[in-house]
Amino acid sequence: MTMPRLRTVVLIAGAAVLAKRAVRRRITTAPLWPMPTLDEPISGRGRLATVTRRALVTERTEPAEGVVRLRLEGTGLPAWQPGAHVDLVLPSGLVRQYSLCGDPAETDTYTVATRLIEDGRGGSREVHEQLHVGTEIEIRGPRNRFPLVDAPAYVFVAGGIGITPVLPMLRAAEAAGADWRLLYCGRSRATLPYVDEIEKLGGGGRVTVVTEDASGRPDLGFLAGIPEETVVYCCGPEGLMDAVAAALPEGRTPHLERFSPAATAGGGPFEVELRRSGRTLTVAPDQSVLAAVRGQVPGVAYSCEQGFCGTCQQRVLEGEIDHRDELLTDAERAGSMLICVSRCAGERLVLDL
């Protein structure tokens, strides 16, 4: 071997040794060191594995006061059915979920609409202020936790922006020749998106619009007498959905699409062991598991903090879970949880963290 070649081999070997030592130093100083050998964890991955696609905002309108409607176009967008929603990865990195309210037959096009929430967590404001024609964003999904089931008749109840997942259902029910009725509620007619289109679609008295400024709260008494074969769908504020469920005959339950998950707090404190990091912490009654864990592991992945996006999904090794999310399947709930909203049904959980 010539001297220059020998020198090259020695330099490469030396660099490899230094790199190996640097990696080991980084591992041993990481917050999750030491890590015992376990089955491959899903911690911090969850729905991050969902394919992300690029979409371009090609149209922006305001179908009602405080509501922005966006038309998103992209290549190879997956097909969807009424009730589906997509994740929008906003320019700041926030992930927010919005129902698809366009026409499923339109390929390579998604339509979403969002109301500006003044005291919200910033997602709706970012949509209103930063997403304009020509803006390119990332989208994930679609997913459908609110599918339209086959039925001969439907009653739909929508409150305000809750019309967005219901609108494609109305079109589908009309196309299928099903009998349907809609009760559409809101603060005022000016705040109700798509109201003119919906009244035209439901010609013949099938659409009832009730606004607080003109008529007060809606009368839900008619729900007590609906036929058994009629399926009820509701999307809107929590109070409206609770009222619809209470108005139905005993044993009947509506299909609901919630804007937010069940309360993340409530109940007594409990312990959470982070098995791979060898730490145990206490989650207070008014605290989420995510907030408690972040105090020990600041880099834990999360985004929506409402149990919708799945970013904070963690593997549960021991303990009984109180699931409060709107995302995981029954199979996923058997061994994992979304730590932003779900809690412990007992006194102790062990996470693969």
Side-chain angles (χ1 to χ4, degrees), residues 97 121 238 241 257-265 304-309 323-327 333 338 340-342:
Q97 292 68 42
R121 298 175 303 117
E238 200 75 23
M241 292 191 292
E257 174 82 319
R258 298 185 181 276
F259 291 152
S260 59
T264 61
C304 77
E305 298 184 78
Q306 295 189 83
F308 294 140
C309 74
H323 290 286
R324 303 186 182 188
D325 66 274
E326 296 289 332
L327 178 67
R333 290 185 174 193
L338 301 188
C340 66
V341 292
S342 297

Side-chain angles (χ1 to χ4, degrees), residues 88-213:
L88 298 190
V89 184
L90 302 179
S92 67
L94 289 176
V95 179
R96 294 294 183 264
Q97 292 68 42
Y98 297 103
S99 297
L100 291 169
C101 54
D103 184 351
E106 293 184 359
T107 60
D108 297 334
T109 298
Y110 289 163
T111 300
V112 298
T114 179
R115 183 180 299 284
L116 177 62
I117 308 299
E118 295 289 352
D119 57 349
R121 298 175 303 117
S124 66
R125 181 166 296 281
E126 189 169 353
V127 170
H128 278 243
E129 295 181 354
Q130 297 193 33
L131 299 190
H132 301 277
V133 173
T135 303
E136 189 178 50
I137 63 170
E138 293 183 350
I139 60 175
R140 297 201 296 249
R143 293 190 295 268
N144 199 338
R145 302 286 290 183
F146 192 47
L148 181 67
V149 300
D150 290 334
Y154 303 91
V155 168
F156 300 99
V157 181
I161 197 64
I163 195 64
T164 51
V166 172
L167 182 55
M169 295 183 180
L170 301 180
R171 299 187 186 119
E174 179 68 12
D179 181 23
W180 63 270
R181 296 172 59 188
L182 168 69
L183 174 61
Y184 192 9
C185 319
R187 296 191 305 274
S188 66
R189 187 178 179 90
T191 64
L192 298 180
Y194 305 109
V195 64
D196 292 335
E197 174 186 344
I198 290 168
E199 286 184 328
K200 183 178 179 180
L201 179 67
R206 289 182 292 175
V207 176
T208 301
V209 176
V210 177
T211 59
E212 293 180 13
D213 62 347

Side-chain angles (χ1 to χ4, degrees), residues 38-43 313-317 335-336 350-352:
L38 295 174
D39 294 334
E40 181 183 2
I42 60 172
S43 301
Q313 184 178 355
Q314 302 293 339
R315 185 182 183 190
V316 178
L317 303 178
S336 66
V350 179
L351 300 181
D352 179 21

